[in-house]
Amino acid sequence: MVSETGFDSHGTRCAAWYLEATSDALAGSRGRPCVVMGHGFGATRDAGLLPFAERFAAAGADVLVFDYRGYGTSDGTPRQNVWHVRHREDYHSAVAHARGLDGVDPDRIVLWGSSYSGGHVVPVAAKDGQVAAVISQGAAMDGLAALLEIGRYAGVGQLLKLTGHALRDIVGSVLGREPHLIPVVGPPGSLAAITAEGAETGYRSIMGPTFRNEMCARGAILIPLNRPVTAASRLRAPIFLVVAADDNIAPPSAVRAVAAKAGAGSEILELPSGHFDIYSGEFFERSAAAQVAFLQRTLRVEAAAG
């Protein structure tokens, strides 16, 4: 059963769903593991995450699925601010909340991410140092590489336009103005942060009712500063990586680099899918089954020992 809940992150309430495990398969003397889930670039928790969460709950893990501050039904301003530093802070707050949940083993927290959040979970886990495992799918692991990819498919002119809008937003914020917004995603040739072929259709295929196709333009200039790949060697937890080999938004090469550098070791599943294909159909089934199997391998030994 999915229940509505929330937690505090730096003085602001983040809204979340909580799913209690429907199986005792992973329960130990100290409680059940808990998977903490956030979403990707400009996205909200009602955009394709629940099917994964339900699989984890059926396997024996509690699940906390949250919206970042300023997104979905969470509180906070400015709204629609894609800022990786702020998102990572919210992940840390979500982990702290999960560790205090009744029936949850605080030593068996799992971080889960997809797309932009698939990158966030790496530095968050590295900094936390105590999470039991990490799952990342279709991840944006290197913002600099992603920016170069935008330049490749949209041209240098698009990068200059995005920079101009970002600077306008930044100056406006200093002067106390309302955020200057641009679309998160749009068709090729349009003004949006993501205009790769098929991206608009992909977004619309998974987005839920709280998604808004807009973002503070300042977020575009922050993309190259978001480089989770640099934290991979500091990981102390095992990580399971799902690579969307045909991804034209988040470069798969950066995900493979994280797998090679992961400090506590990694497992990797390569799927011949695009960025959004892993949320439904055959690729969802393959990805979700592999993720559940990883949780069972990684957590069941500790559960038995508990």
Side-chain angles (χ1 to χ4, degrees):
M1 187 177 75
V2 181
S3 59
E4 189 75 31
T5 186
F7 58 89
D8 177 88
S9 182
H10 298 264
T12 299
R13 183 182 184 276
C14 286
W17 288 324
Y18 179 55
L19 290 76
E20 191 171 318
T22 57
S23 163
D24 291 328
L26 297 177
S29 61
R30 297 192 65 194
R32 304 172 298 273
C34 184
V35 182
V36 176
M37 304 175 65
H39 216 316
F41 197 91
T44 45
R45 59 188 159 120
D46 54 9
L49 298 192
L50 197 55
F52 288 98
E54 290 170 340
R55 296 293 179 92
F56 301 147
D62 288 14
V63 189
L64 185 70
V65 190
F66 73 95
D67 278 327
Y68 304 116
R69 285 172 288 170
Y71 275 90
T73 56
S74 289
D75 296 337
T77 56
R79 307 298 296 176
Q80 307 299 118
N81 187 21
V82 181
W83 186 15
H84 59 280
V85 173
R86 187 177 170 99
H87 293 350
R88 293 176 191 177
E89 290 174 347
D90 294 342
Y91 256 104
H92 283 292
S93 297
V95 167
H97 177 73
R99 285 187 170 126
L101 290 170
D102 186 42
V104 167
D105 181 348
D107 292 329
R108 291 195 294 150
I109 301 298
V110 179
L111 294 185
W112 185 98
S114 186
S115 190
Y116 221 48
S117 67
H120 296 336
V121 294
V122 173
V124 171
K127 183 175 181 180
D128 180 274
Q130 300 298 320
V131 299
V134 180
I135 297 175
S136 172
Q137 66 167 23
M141 292 295 190
D142 190 341
L144 181 57
L147 191 72
L148 294 175
E149 182 69 8
I150 293 173
R152 184 194 65 77
Y153 68 68
V156 175
Q158 178 79 334
L159 296 178
L160 293 175
K161 287 180 184 177
L162 291 174
T163 300
H165 282 271
L167 293 175
R168 173 181 167 183
D169 186 33
I170 291 169
V171 171
S173 69
V174 172
L175 297 177
R177 297 172 184 164
E178 290 294 311
H180 171 57
L181 303 174
I182 61 173
V184 172
V185 63
S190 67
L191 175 66
I194 302 172
T195 59
E197 189 70 38
E200 185 179 37
T201 300
Y203 258 85
R204 297 196 184 285
S205 71
I206 67 168
M207 290 307 157
T210 65
F211 172 69
R212 290 165 50 187
N213 188 22
E214 57 187 23
M215 59 178 280
C216 296
R218 71 195 75 167
I221 210 169
L222 298 173
I223 292 174
L225 303 180
N226 180 35
R227 305 194 69 209
V229 65
T230 62
S233 63
R234 302 196 302 275
L235 273 177
R236 297 181 187 175
I239 183 170
F240 186 81
L241 296 151
V242 180
V243 177
D246 297 330
D247 199 326
N248 64 340
I249 295 174
S253 58
V255 183
R256 297 185 187 105
V258 167
K261 296 178 179 180
S266 63
E267 297 182 41
I268 191 166
L269 171 67
E270 293 242 4
L271 296 175
S273 70
H275 189 77
F276 297 97
D277 298 331
I278 49 181
Y279 293 95
S280 62
E282 173 193 355
F283 293 126
F284 163 76
E285 294 295 339
R286 292 172 63 180
S287 179
Q291 291 175 37
V292 166
F294 169 74
L295 289 183
Q296 292 169 335
R297 288 192 304 273
T298 306
L299 300 175
R300 184 171 282 159
V301 171
E302 295 181 14

